[in-house]
Amino acid sequence: MHNHEPADYHCPFCHLTPDREPDVVYRDERVFALICPRWWPRNAGHLLIIPVAHHENLYDLPAADGHAIFDATRMLARAMRTAYDCAGVSTRQHNEPAGNQDVWHFHQHLFPRYPGDDLYGTPPQPDWLPVDRRRAYAERLRAALNPRHDDT
């Protein structure tokens, strides 16, 4: 349809092994979510929600994967509110070069939001955040997704 992926594209998401990535917070048969290595200073710990199957953009995304992404986004947004004590969340998703897409595999961003954070007016930090710094955010989200009930 409206595709821009080069023939020799090396997809960074297809080469991840979600079960072995320390910053993956959720995975099912269709979708996985990880702490984004690109960091916005006032919105730390934002997520990428990615279909397991390679689909370049929204136009190519099958309905079943779209539903799975939305369901995961809703579940992860609830966990994010608990884990980060944020005041809200924002999602965004980009398609084609004019839409600011820069990875040719569909993915959706989920940002924690805080009053006055100026997300859309603040550029991301220039370097990717190392995995050891992302790991703490992943652990908080995993804990919010899987609360332990102490019956004692």
Side-chain angles (χ1 to χ4, degrees):
M1 187 169 210
H2 300 286
N3 299 103
H4 301 276
E5 174 183 317
D8 61 346
Y9 186 61
H10 182 78
C11 180
F13 296 152
C14 288
H15 295 285
L16 288 174
T17 308
D19 294 334
R20 289 190 228 148
E21 302 293 330
D23 52 352
V24 169
V25 299
Y26 175 79
R27 187 185 194 315
D28 65 23
E29 66 278 353
R30 291 192 176 272
V31 175
F32 66 100
L34 58 92
I35 303 295
C36 185
R38 194 170 200 194
W39 213 247
W40 271 256
R42 290 178 280 219
N43 305 90
H46 100 270
L47 292 172
L48 297 178
I49 302 160
I50 306 163
V52 172
H54 182 86
H55 308 290
E56 181 175 322
N57 53 40
L58 183 64
Y59 315 120
D60 296 339
L61 190 68
D65 284 351
H67 290 291
I69 289 163
F70 183 82
D71 290 345
T73 301
R74 182 184 58 205
M75 176 188 59
L76 291 160
R78 290 174 175 165
M80 187 176 275
R81 290 270 289 132
T82 299
Y84 297 171
D85 196 29
C86 53
V89 300
S90 287
T91 62
R92 67 184 188 196
Q93 194 276 316
H94 308 280
N95 298 280
E96 299 188 85
N100 289 329
Q101 184 176 8
D102 59 2
V103 174
W104 307 117
H105 185 128
F106 179 96
H107 59 286
Q108 179 168 277
H109 297 258
L110 176 62
F111 288 91
R113 297 302 306 272
Y114 305 92
D117 65 14
D118 193 29
L119 173 63
Y120 299 111
T122 305
Q125 293 178 343
D127 296 322
W128 285 24
L129 198 70
V131 71
D132 60 319
R133 295 264 323 273
R134 300 188 310 259
R135 185 176 288 124
Y137 289 89
E139 289 170 359
R140 288 167 62 189
L141 278 169
R142 279 192 220 103
L145 285 169
N146 301 305
R148 294 184 181 165
H149 300 286
D150 189 358
D151 295 330
T152 59

